[in-house]
Amino acid sequence: MLFPIMSVPDRYILTITCPDTTGLVAAVAGYLRDQACFIDESSQFGDPATMRFFMRAVFTRSAKSPGIDAIKANFANIAAPFEMKWEIISANIKPKVLIAVSKFGHCLNDLLHRWHTGQLAIDVVGVVSNHDDMRSLVAWHGIPYHFLPVTADTKAKQEQQVLKLVEDTKADLTVLARYMQVLSPDACQALSGRCINIHHSFLPSFKGARPYQQAFERGVKIIGATAHYVTSSLDEGPIIEQAVERVDHTQGVADMVAVGRDLENVVLARAVRYHAERRVLLNGTKTVVF
Amino acid sequence: MLFPIMSVPDRYILTITCPDTTGLVAAVAGYLRDQACFIDESSQFGDPATMRFFMRAVFTRSAKSPGIDAIKANFANIAAPFEMKWEIISANIKPKVLIAVSKFGHCLNDLLHRWHTGQLAIDVVGVVSNHDDMRSLVAWHGIPYHFLPVTADTKAKQEQQVLKLVEDTKADLTVLARYMQVLSPDACQALSGRCINIHHSFLPSFKGARPYQQAFERGVKIIGATAHYVTSSLDEGPIIEQAVERVDHTQGVADMVAVGRDLENVVLARAVRYHAERRVLLNGTKTVVF
Amino acid sequence: MLFPIMSVPDRYILTITCPDTTGLVAAVAGYLRDQACFIDESSQFGDPATMRFFMRAVFTRSAKSPGIDAIKANFANIAAPFEMKWEIISANIKPKVLIAVSKFGHCLNDLLHRWHTGQLAIDVVGVVSNHDDMRSLVAWHGIPYHFLPVTADTKAKQEQQVLKLVEDTKADLTVLARYMQVLSPDACQALSGRCINIHHSFLPSFKGARPYQQAFERGVKIIGATAHYVTSSLDEGPIIEQAVERVDHTQGVADMVAVGRDLENVVLARAVRYHAERRVLLNGTKTVVF
Amino acid sequence: MLFPIMSVPDRYILTITCPDTTGLVAAVAGYLRDQACFIDESSQFGDPATMRFFMRAVFTRSAKSPGIDAIKANFANIAAPFEMKWEIISANIKPKVLIAVSKFGHCLNDLLHRWHTGQLAIDVVGVVSNHDDMRSLVAWHGIPYHFLPVTADTKAKQEQQVLKLVEDTKADLTVLARYMQVLSPDACQALSGRCINIHHSFLPSFKGARPYQQAFERGVKIIGATAHYVTSSLDEGPIIEQAVERVDHTQGVADMVAVGRDLENVVLARAVRYHAERRVLLNGTKTVVF
């Protein structure tokens, strides 16, 4: 079973990144056993290219286990000699998510529907947009809508407002759900590792503007969508998920846009879920997705 | 280009089914040329197994063309010697669609979003359900909601109410968007060729109830969804569209349900679009999809 | 990295199946650490449905490790309290494989090419067939060819000859690469867990004879192929791998056969590789594929 | 049914490219009817972007039809006013194909197996290579092998020898089946529209050398292969076919190479078949594939 949709009391997610060496799994699994914790799910990966080790474990406390604070505190002793970057969080904590959107609302509608029906374990704290079009949809879901229009002159200032919103809402994750404003390098830096974008092409093909137009002109036989973490290099951040669909010569740009919408929905929703379930670990410019 | 999303005045769709023989395309294309009509799109298929011929053409009237009523009237002379079953309708006419749903609203939400944003050229005339759960969503879209609860005792009567609703709303198409009531043979007959169901398996595998549970128990490595016309043989009607996704041993039934939702959305939306655009012609127990 | 294609001295594969409980990973990983072994790759899965635990680890001995015989001998002490069914084998040992074929040689050609070019770490000990058609191809590869013709009268006897061949060649795995003879229940039992068949449909749809014909008649929009362990229930053994491809109304049975060949090649080759690399563990009537 | 695998006497393929206008299909279909020919299969496409029209029809002469030479001769009268570029060839004529290969023989083996077993209606007139590795495989198939080694100094001269071989063998099509020499602009020009290359990436991503290495470094979640006509712009020729497969973080370059081989085989074989069956028409820098 993947991550349980229903919440289980006392279930936790442990994530680890560190240099690869002998005894890592033994140390972690041994520690959890000694705390009388049951491992529900565990994945690990040693990258021979970077010699880095990655691990994600989902475990449940038992009646014999110490309190979670003690489990966390003592894990530091395990982590230190291995130089682990690690985190233990409750599997029941839903990350606070701010969604940014412009005029195309399909990804927004899809994310909100999944959230609304309990399929996506996130806590949507708001929707921000440079247009007012999605206000009614968002209002129906009972979520605050922040209309922050932007012009060439106000671009820098509006971005500051968006960043302030991230801060005010305490958003753990910002999702660019077809938000058509390129973030400044500073904003990318500020949201590093906690901002996911959906790009409507099979990256690295067709970066930048109008990717379906580019795909049409190149005459590709398959189109795609890519969810990635935002970095200051446009459309070059670590890829989390991709999906593709076949097209043919009869399909014009509008047809590709229509096919692409379904890809964008699915790819972005998966990436948000993987991130929310702590499945994504950064490995340089790439990702490990457990 | 597939069917144009924007409407074009004086664009029409011609569909034909008849015994296959020499001269069919010549007769049809010659007729349209003689009416000064431009063929935007044309597909034809002769089935060597059944010796049946199928054709769909999209054409546009020009300034030199006769009126559409004359074009239709005179086409009968072409059609008769070939024993054609045929139809010419305006490409701008959106079929009236009644959507039936039970408790799972993902397909409904998906169809309504596509309709709302102009991606799906249908005219949703109402939503009917044996539950009251979807009322608010449907109301937000400004569509009438018909709550027709059903019990074992009232099943036949409730079905009559549904059929009356089809009649009253003049629905051209009824879409069972995860409607969990099996229609009686009489109802299937009454809606023959104008009722599409989404079944949450890759038919003919896992007919009937709880297909994801069946798939889980069989240990398949790929799951799917199937849109088909409803017939009195449960889940055996002509298949319009299918899609699949990979699963593995880690995924339990709930995970398959989650993966399946995305398949169901896409497959049902495509089937409805194909039907609305007159792309689906019946070929015995199978379909030709142009 | 998946299983390394080049061989590494002193690399071993450990596989475990046992009841799930606390401390399993800790025990195994701790043991390997104590033997100064480096874990190259490790996967584990606890099935909540059956409460069974499955594990596969690839590890490498270091200069400080005991001999492999000692490592194996002492692992028994770890395994016993957990009631583990386990095995430790050298990752460099290639399983001996006997391939059975009838008249369609595409899977045979594909497997032999992969083997010949070092892509498939198996040791092909022979090819057996009820026809003589593939003799020349097999001879070119320098592999013994066993022509064992069969008639209705000699079916039982011929099967005995095939089983004797399995024994004589010490085959660890028998691959039915489009071998068109149904094995008797006794033969299925004798080869249980070490006989892989390729069925040319997306099981459980279209069991038995002429699956492409069945698929054509049902009018499916996607066809598939399935590799599974052979059991006495025809085409119902545990599924190892499946793949699918889209078809449409223009494609007759011969076209489906052509599309299917490519699926069969890939699916069977993957299943054989997974088995050879000890990635497949049986979980009742299903498989865990690491 | 797609193109029939078995040959039918008196079956022909007509291909047309011309400016799009009213009456094209009527003219062509009317002409074939007047010659008492039966249309087995017909596809046409009007590209709204380029206003070009493309058509491919497969037809069979009847007892009442004129001779094929007369049919061809008189078709010129139909073609002229529409400025058609057209061709009528026997569906039973197999194009002469020269295959070029370097050290990776999987595509070669795959093409030869398809040819050998009658799955691919081509006439392989020879294999040329800058290495001697594939000699034995090619010899087994009874095909001439041309070993033309190349060094930095002899590159131009060797290419001349390859081109002469194309001429001497009267090859209609040259297939670069993992031939690792970049052709000069002159050679690309000489083979324009009759030379297909398989590139081991999902173009336009990862042009040039070591595409799997590039894909690995970028961290894509899906890899692909592309068959295209060779032009003087490296890896930028009109795309005929593409296919993709999912990969994940556990897969290194060698694993991607292994996955990619299966994609390359299938994609190249399809492209060659489409070309051989006259399904591919050039539309500027893109293709129409019927």
Side-chain angles (χ1 to χ4, degrees), chain A residues 75-280:
Chain A
F75 189 74
N77 300 324
I78 303 294
F82 291 110
E83 300 173 47
M84 291 179 185
K85 285 181 53 181
W86 64 278
E87 208 168 17
I88 293 176
I89 62 149
S90 166
N92 299 318
I93 289 182
K94 295 175 183 177
K96 293 183 198 308
V97 175
L98 178 70
I99 304 176
V101 68
S102 292
K103 287 191 155 233
F104 295 105
H106 51 282
C107 286
L108 175 68
N109 177 68
D110 183 79
L111 289 172
L112 291 182
H113 179 76
R114 289 175 202 263
W115 163 76
H116 201 109
T117 54
Q119 299 169 47
L120 193 55
I122 60 175
D123 178 13
V124 182
V125 293
V127 172
V128 61
S129 180
N130 53 329
H131 296 281
D132 209 26
D133 306 50
M134 299 297 142
R135 182 181 292 280
S136 163
L137 172 66
V138 172
W140 183 79
H141 283 285
I143 296 167
Y145 190 76
H146 307 274
F147 173 34
L148 299 177
V150 64
T151 65
D153 287 349
T154 62
K155 185 158 171 49
K157 190 180 158 194
Q158 190 257 13
E159 190 180 272
Q160 284 306 314
Q161 293 173 305
V162 173
L163 289 178
K164 183 158 189 315
L165 200 55
V166 172
E167 205 173 283
D168 291 349
T169 57
K170 296 187 172 57
D172 301 299
L173 177 68
T174 302
V175 175
L176 308 185
R178 296 300 305 271
Y179 181 64
M180 307 309 273
Q181 297 293 315
V182 177
L183 298 190
S184 70
D186 282 355
C188 292
Q189 185 56 40
L191 300 176
S192 178
R194 52 194 188 104
C195 180
I196 294 175
N197 181 49
I198 180 74
H199 184 72
H200 37 313
S201 86
F202 184 64
L203 288 176
S205 291
F206 313 131
K207 297 176 201 174
R210 309 189 73 202
Y212 292 121
Q213 181 69 36
Q214 293 182 54
F216 173 75
E217 284 167 9
R218 181 61 186 91
V220 291
K221 301 302 184 186
I222 293 175
I223 60 171
T226 305
H228 63 94
Y229 286 113
V230 170
T231 63
S232 54
S233 303
L234 186 64
D235 300 328
E236 296 206 338
I239 294 171
I240 303 169
E241 175 65 340
Q242 301 188 290
V244 294
E245 191 71 45
R246 213 162 242 285
V247 292
D248 67 28
H249 62 267
T250 64
Q251 292 171 282
V253 175
D255 303 302
M256 290 186 182
V257 168
V259 169
R261 270 189 213 106
D262 294 331
L263 294 175
E264 295 162 33
N265 286 350
V266 169
V267 167
L268 183 58
R270 281 188 198 151
V272 171
R273 186 167 70 81
Y274 296 160
H275 180 94
E277 294 173 7
R278 307 262 162 169
R279 296 184 174 281
V280 191

Side-chain angles (χ1 to χ4, degrees), chain C residues 1-3 5 105-107 109-110 113-114 117 119 136-138 140-141 245 248-252 254-255 258-259 261-262 265-266 269-270 273, chain D residues 1-3 5 105-107 109-110 113-114 117 119 136-138 140-141 245 248-252 254-255 258-259 261-262 265-266 269-270 273:
Chain C
M1 183 158 41
L2 293 187
F3 195 81
I5 282 164
H106 51 284
C107 286
N109 177 67
D110 183 79
H113 179 75
R114 288 174 202 264
T117 54
Q119 298 170 49
S136 163
L137 172 67
V138 173
W140 183 79
H141 283 286
E245 191 71 46
D248 67 28
H249 61 267
T250 65
Q251 291 171 282
D255 303 302
V259 169
R261 269 189 214 107
D262 293 331
N265 285 350
V266 169
R270 280 187 199 152
R273 186 167 71 82
Chain D
M1 182 157 41
L2 292 187
F3 196 82
I5 281 164
H106 51 282
C107 285
N109 177 68
D110 183 78
H113 179 76
R114 290 174 201 264
T117 54
Q119 298 169 46
S136 163
L137 171 67
V138 172
W140 183 79
H141 283 285
E245 190 71 45
D248 66 28
H249 61 267
T250 65
Q251 291 171 282
D255 303 303
V259 169
R261 269 189 213 106
D262 294 331
N265 286 350
V266 169
R270 282 187 197 150
R273 185 167 70 83

Side-chain angles (χ1 to χ4, degrees), chain B residues 1-281:
Chain B
M1 185 159 40
L2 293 187
F3 196 81
I5 281 164
M6 58 176 181
S7 64
V8 171
D10 277 328
R11 179 166 285 175
Y12 299 88
I13 304 173
L14 163 65
T15 50
I16 297 169
T17 306
C18 66
D20 202 358
T21 185
T22 300
L24 278 163
V25 176
V28 175
Y31 179 77
L32 290 173
R33 176 199 52 201
D34 295 345
Q35 314 304 308
C37 293
F38 182 80
I39 300 178
D40 300 279
E41 198 185 327
S42 173
S43 305
Q44 57 283 142
F45 171 62
D47 184 347
T50 61
M51 287 306 289
R52 301 285 293 171
F53 174 82
F54 305 86
M55 184 168 181
R56 174 184 183 270
V58 181
F59 65 89
T60 307
R61 283 179 64 250
S62 72
K64 297 176 189 164
S65 302
I68 188 64
D69 289 340
I71 290 176
K72 284 186 193 177
N74 291 324
F75 189 75
N77 300 324
I78 303 293
F82 291 110
E83 300 173 48
M84 291 180 185
K85 284 181 52 182
W86 65 278
E87 208 168 18
I88 293 175
I89 61 147
S90 166
N92 300 317
I93 290 181
K94 296 174 182 178
K96 294 184 197 306
V97 175
L98 178 70
I99 304 176
V101 67
S102 292
K103 287 190 155 237
F104 295 105
H106 52 282
C107 285
L108 174 68
N109 176 68
D110 183 79
L111 289 172
L112 292 182
H113 179 76
R114 289 174 201 265
W115 163 76
H116 202 108
T117 53
Q119 299 168 48
L120 194 54
I122 59 175
D123 177 12
V124 182
V125 293
V127 172
V128 60
S129 181
N130 53 330
H131 295 282
D132 210 27
D133 307 50
M134 298 297 140
R135 183 180 292 279
S136 162
L137 172 68
V138 172
W140 183 79
H141 283 285
I143 297 166
Y145 190 77
H146 307 273
F147 173 35
L148 299 177
V150 64
T151 64
D153 287 349
T154 63
K155 185 158 172 47
K157 190 179 158 196
Q158 190 256 16
E159 189 180 273
Q160 284 306 313
Q161 293 173 304
V162 173
L163 289 177
K164 183 157 189 314
L165 200 54
V166 172
E167 205 173 282
D168 291 349
T169 57
K170 297 189 171 53
D172 302 298
L173 177 68
T174 302
V175 176
L176 309 184
R178 298 298 306 270
Y179 182 65
M180 307 309 275
Q181 297 293 315
V182 176
L183 298 190
S184 70
D186 282 355
C188 292
Q189 185 56 40
L191 300 176
S192 179
R194 53 194 188 103
C195 180
I196 295 175
N197 181 48
I198 180 73
H199 184 71
H200 37 313
S201 85
F202 184 67
L203 289 175
S205 291
F206 313 131
K207 295 177 202 175
R210 308 189 73 201
Y212 292 120
Q213 180 70 35
Q214 293 182 56
F216 173 76
E217 284 166 9
R218 181 60 186 91
V220 290
K221 301 302 185 187
I222 293 174
I223 60 171
T226 305
H228 62 94
Y229 287 114
V230 170
T231 64
S232 54
S233 303
L234 184 65
D235 301 329
E236 296 205 339
I239 293 172
I240 304 169
E241 175 64 341
Q242 300 187 291
V244 294
E245 190 72 45
R246 212 160 243 287
V247 291
D248 67 28
H249 61 267
T250 65
Q251 291 171 283
V253 176
D255 302 302
M256 290 186 181
V257 168
V259 169
R261 270 190 212 106
D262 294 330
L263 294 174
E264 295 162 33
N265 286 350
V266 170
V267 167
L268 182 58
R270 281 188 199 150
V272 171
R273 185 167 70 83
Y274 296 159
H275 180 93
E277 294 173 6
R278 309 263 162 168
R279 296 184 175 281
V280 191
L281 299 179

Side-chain angles (χ1 to χ4, degrees), chain D residues 30-92:
Chain D
Y31 179 77
L32 291 173
R33 176 199 54 202
D34 295 345
Q35 314 305 308
C37 294
F38 182 81
I39 299 178
D40 301 279
E41 196 184 328
S42 174
S43 306
Q44 57 283 140
F45 170 61
D47 184 347
T50 60
M51 288 304 290
R52 300 286 293 172
F53 174 83
F54 305 86
M55 183 167 182
R56 175 184 182 271
V58 181
F59 65 89
T60 306
R61 283 179 65 248
S62 71
K64 296 177 191 164
S65 303
I68 189 63
D69 289 340
I71 290 176
K72 284 186 195 178
N74 291 324
F75 188 75
N77 300 324
I78 303 293
F82 291 110
E83 299 173 47
M84 291 180 185
K85 284 180 54 181
W86 63 279
E87 209 168 16
I88 293 175
I89 61 149
S90 166
N92 300 317

Side-chain angles (χ1 to χ4, degrees), chain C residues 93-148:
Chain C
I93 290 181
K94 296 175 182 176
K96 293 183 197 308
V97 175
L98 178 70
I99 304 176
V101 67
S102 292
K103 287 191 156 235
F104 295 106
H106 51 284
C107 286
L108 175 68
N109 177 67
D110 183 79
L111 290 172
L112 291 182
H113 179 75
R114 288 174 202 264
W115 163 76
H116 202 108
T117 54
Q119 298 170 49
L120 195 54
I122 59 175
D123 177 12
V124 182
V125 293
V127 172
V128 60
S129 180
N130 53 330
H131 296 282
D132 210 26
D133 306 51
M134 298 297 143
R135 182 181 293 279
S136 163
L137 172 67
V138 173
W140 183 79
H141 283 286
I143 296 166
Y145 190 76
H146 307 273
F147 173 35
L148 299 177

Side-chain angles (χ1 to χ4, degrees), chain A residues 20 45-52 283, chain C residues 1-2 40, chain D residues 216 249-250 252:
Chain A
D20 203 357
F45 170 61
D47 184 346
T50 60
M51 287 305 289
R52 300 285 293 170
N283 183 15
Chain C
M1 183 158 41
L2 293 187
D40 300 279
Chain D
F216 173 75
H249 61 267
T250 65

